[in-house]
Amino acid sequence: CRDVVQAMVGSVWCRADEVGVQTVPCVVSGVVICPLQSWYQANFSEATGGKLDKMIEVFDGGCKWPACVGDPHVERNSLTDSIGEFFLSLNAPLLDRWGEEGYQVISFSHFIPRPDLFPGHKRLDRVMGTRALETIIRLIGSSVHCFGHSHLDIDVVEDGCRYVQNNLGYPRDRGGPKMPLMVWDSS
């Protein structure tokens, strides 16, 4: 079953490649651009614990997971750690130690790699990210890591890596859409 799910993800990546979307690390102007696969994990923040409220129980309830990836008893449970582990495992064959080769690395993910990068309501911690991303970011030597998901802007340097979330927004989000932010200038 995991092979089938992996093949489905692979077919999405193939289609993306056909239309010019990069889904694997590539070098652009001497900089490695490295997409990282992930899903949130309930143990993201030490502050989490206790009973889940109704909103968190159904967060991403539109996602239906096969038993081999998600919870075999509840197909719409997006908080099962095995989902995060599955997506993180997709990074393994893509990761080289680019930083050791003298390249600058810019990585990106949808989910947040560190709890201290989420300035939002603590009630949402469990559905914001996974600490395992931070481990990968360190392994590949990222200089900059861009992420999303929370729709809350942040631009900080922590432990030698710049972390950026520049929420471009939906038309009705907090004042409307914004312009993209330059995170690297190779000149």
Side-chain angles (χ1 to χ4, degrees), residues 7-19:
M8 287 171 39
V9 170
S11 69
V12 170
W13 287 350
C14 285
R15 180 64 184 128
D17 188 54
E18 289 170 7
V19 296

Side-chain angles (χ1 to χ4, degrees), residues 9-183:
V9 170
S11 69
V12 170
W13 287 350
C14 285
R15 180 64 184 128
D17 188 54
E18 289 170 7
V19 296
V21 175
Q22 291 287 328
T23 58
V24 296
C26 62
V27 179
V28 178
S29 300
V31 176
V32 175
I33 307 299
C34 188
L36 299 176
Q37 309 304 317
S38 63
W39 191 260
Y40 52 79
Q41 294 183 296
N43 64 354
F44 179 56
S45 171
E46 293 172 8
T48 59
K51 192 173 191 303
L52 296 175
D53 64 35
K54 211 46 162 168
M55 183 192 77
I56 298 301
E57 283 182 9
V58 297
F59 203 85
D60 287 325
C63 297
K64 185 176 177 182
W65 302 101
C68 61
V69 173
D71 183 336
H73 307 292
V74 185
E75 65 185 16
R76 295 197 188 275
N77 179 1
S78 290
L79 277 171
T80 303
D81 281 343
S82 60
I83 298 167
E85 291 162 7
F86 170 77
F87 280 102
L88 289 165
S89 75
L90 298 176
N91 295 312
L94 306 176
L95 301 178
D96 288 319
R97 306 224 35 190
W98 293 99
E100 293 179 5
E101 300 293 325
Y103 288 102
Q104 294 294 323
V105 178
I106 299 174
S107 56
F108 63 95
S109 61
H110 178 75
F111 293 102
I112 302 173
R114 299 168 55 130
D116 59 331
L117 300 175
F118 176 58
H121 197 286
K122 293 300 170 201
R123 168 181 172 200
L124 295 173
D125 278 357
R126 291 182 179 187
V127 294
M128 286 296 124
T130 175
R131 291 171 184 259
L133 277 172
E134 178 69 6
T135 302
I136 296 170
I137 289 165
R138 297 290 154 197
L139 175 71
I140 63 175
S142 287
S143 300
V144 178
H145 182 77
C146 301
F147 60 93
H149 191 59
S150 75
H151 293 244
L152 300 172
D153 293 341
I154 193 162
D155 190 342
V156 298
V157 175
E158 296 286 347
D159 303 318
C161 182
R162 181 180 178 196
Y163 295 90
V164 178
Q165 179 172 203
N166 183 45
N167 172 33
L168 298 179
Y170 297 110
R172 288 176 256 184
D173 270 359
R174 299 174 201 90
K178 298 183 313 192
M179 295 301 296
L181 176 71
M182 183 186 317
V183 296

